[in-house]
């Protein structure tokens, strides 16, 4: 049952990341093909970098055609129904945050499977959750949003820390994944809702 | 004989991608070293990402010194004769499109060799053909051309689809590679000649 | 003893690259988290790409938690003491150049260990030394400094060429690493001190 839950959220995560790629690309006025590429890269970017760093090759989306197809269908649907979805940015944002939670947990689990130490597992989970958005922003020639405005990667790191804390406290393993996904999801949601910001560092001497 | 044809076009493709890197870098006023690096990255970028994703490591240009040397010689020649070549942009463009066709077919073949499904093979071929130019544009701080103006990756994908269609129809395998390279080449040439554009998606609500 | 020297400079190199990432990120007004990420990427970027290209996976910083911890501590210290360090940019620059020398030599040695030809080893050394800074600049949406103003990668390549020259001349292997690090370090220092520039290539016909 747990496996099925993960698969379901995996699918939802992939779908929502693909959709967020579509909307980012439309804003930059890319052509149809560019939109599909950005959707694809946003959805698979995090897992791809994770697999390349770990050495779990070929990267996971290459092993079956399901993920690419899922992304294609989601992106086309997002393009077709963009006006409807455009009115539900809130909904989109919720699913995006769910995806962030899922990919973070999936990354942590993969790190554990490969025998990495907890700190590295948290890094792997964070890379899995965030890198798709980072590479999307680089390709669209923005400073990645992750570095600018939102408590994004911080939610992943916080979730990862709590994961290993609960693991140490013998927390029920069946519920651990769900709890961590919920934490990443909620931190992200609340951060945006209440405009949490990580403080910047300003140094007059450094500025030109 | 087919092997030799592929090697020949491999060489031509590497040369022309290196030259296109040189010209892109000169336009951005990079220094001599920067120009050589961009030439190198443009020529090997697609194959390198392909090998890193598949797990065929070390990446192919590391296995012999031939490719780096070929790129160095091509780039230096392009720099020395830049005024002459500058008058033959048409020629350059033709060779660039030939290289696109070759690297696409090479990528598809490598995908088949590694046992990937047709959809993934087409993705691998497209990455092989296009990524050198994408990373070149990222390094030069442009939105990659691929997302903006031209039927570029689309030519690779179209070529890949026809590849597997002809394979299914028992098309003569000796000619298959050549035909697909010709298709990618021609689609690219005709697209620029007749200013084919992939339509964009505009959504008033989305624009700021 | 040689091993210990290398470990010491490895630590110094990692520290100084992390610090340079901190200062680059502060100038771009990133938040605290963004600064830490940029510090991390600057410090591990070169070695990570090297390991991904070679296929020495998982990448080296994943194998122990020492490197991530070292970077975290260095970055936090740089943020806390940024006004003091800001007055010692000269010192910072010296350590940064030492790090460049070390990572270049480490990369060359890794290339030799894996059996690559000298030209490829020099490329691997250069990637190890320079790529952290390149990816830092890409993430901060600058044209990488390496392509613009300084004799940076050139110092690595020069060091690499002399490495294999001395190796051929049966130079004392115990001193070879130190000598090459010194050369890379000095070329970099002198280049900035005396404003050496690699000439650009200008071509009126190419400019728009």
């Amino acid at each position: 049952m747990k496996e099925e839950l993960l698969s379901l959220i995996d699918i939802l995560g992939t779908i929502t990341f693909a959709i967020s790629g579509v909307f980012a690309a439309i804003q930059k006025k890319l052509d149809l093909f560019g939109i599909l590429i950005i959707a694809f890269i946003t959805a698979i970017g995090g897992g791809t970098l994770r697999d390349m760093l770990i050495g779990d090759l070929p990267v996971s989306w290459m092993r079956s055609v399901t993920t690419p197809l899922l992304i294609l269908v989601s992106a086309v649907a997002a393009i077709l129904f963009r006006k409807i979805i455009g009115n539900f940015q809130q909904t989109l944002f919720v699913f995006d945050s769910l995806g962030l939670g899922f990919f973070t947990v999936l990354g942590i689990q993969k790190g554990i499977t490969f025998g990495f130490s907890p700190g590295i597992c948290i890094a792997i989970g964070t890379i899995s959750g965030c890198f798709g958005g980072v590479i999307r922003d680089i390709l669209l020639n923005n400073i990645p949003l992750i570095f600018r405005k939102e408590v994004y990667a911080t939610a992943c790191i916080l979730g990862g820390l709590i994961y290993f804390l609960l693991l140490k406290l013998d927390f029920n393993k069946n519920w651990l994944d769900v709890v961590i996904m919920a934490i990443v999801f909620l931190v992200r949601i609340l951060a945006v809702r209440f405009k949490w910001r990580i403080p910047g560092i300003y140094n007059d001497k450094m500025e030109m």
Side-chain angles (χ1 to χ4, degrees), chain A residues 12-13 15-21 23 84-102 136 145 149-153 155 181 183-197:
Chain A
L12 289 175
I15 289 173
T16 51
F17 277 154
I19 293 172
S20 88
F23 279 73
I84 299 168
I85 296 174
N87 294 331
F88 290 98
Q89 291 256 13
Q90 201 77 15
T91 315
L92 183 71
F93 164 69
V94 168
F95 276 87
D96 183 59
S97 303
L98 270 173
L100 190 73
F102 169 70
R136 175 196 65 207
L145 198 61
K149 282 192 220 145
E150 296 181 47
V151 179
Y152 196 78
M181 285 187 293
I183 288 172
V184 175
F185 172 74
L186 283 175
V187 169
R188 170 95 170 109
I189 296 282
L190 294 174
V192 171
R193 175 68 187 78
F194 294 107
K195 299 191 177 155
W196 294 346
R197 290 283 179 274

Side-chain angles (χ1 to χ4, degrees), chain A residues 2-111:
Chain A
K2 196 182 131 196
E3 284 301 308
E4 281 163 19
L5 176 65
L6 284 178
S7 299
L8 177 64
I9 305 179
D10 185 7
I11 289 169
L12 289 175
T14 302
I15 289 173
T16 51
F17 277 154
I19 293 172
S20 88
V22 165
F23 279 73
I26 288 176
Q27 287 180 322
K28 282 276 179 170
K29 304 190 178 175
L30 301 198
D31 66 31
L32 254 176
F33 182 78
I35 294 169
L36 291 178
I37 294 275
I38 294 288
F40 192 79
I41 290 170
T42 307
I44 58 104
T48 297
L49 181 61
R50 176 197 63 211
D51 293 346
M52 285 164 75
L53 292 171
I54 292 177
D56 185 24
L57 303 173
V59 299
S60 51
W61 62 265
M62 283 192 172
R63 289 180 214 151
S64 92
V65 91
T66 315
T67 306
L69 273 184
L70 186 63
I71 294 168
L72 183 65
V73 170
S74 310
V76 169
I79 291 168
L80 291 177
F81 301 115
R82 65 190 177 280
K83 280 169 198 183
I84 299 168
I85 296 174
N87 294 331
F88 290 98
Q89 291 256 13
Q90 201 77 15
T91 315
L92 183 71
F93 164 69
V94 168
F95 276 87
D96 183 59
S97 303
L98 270 173
L100 190 73
F102 169 70
F103 282 118
T104 302
V105 169
L106 185 69
I108 291 171
Q109 287 180 329
K110 197 155 192 176

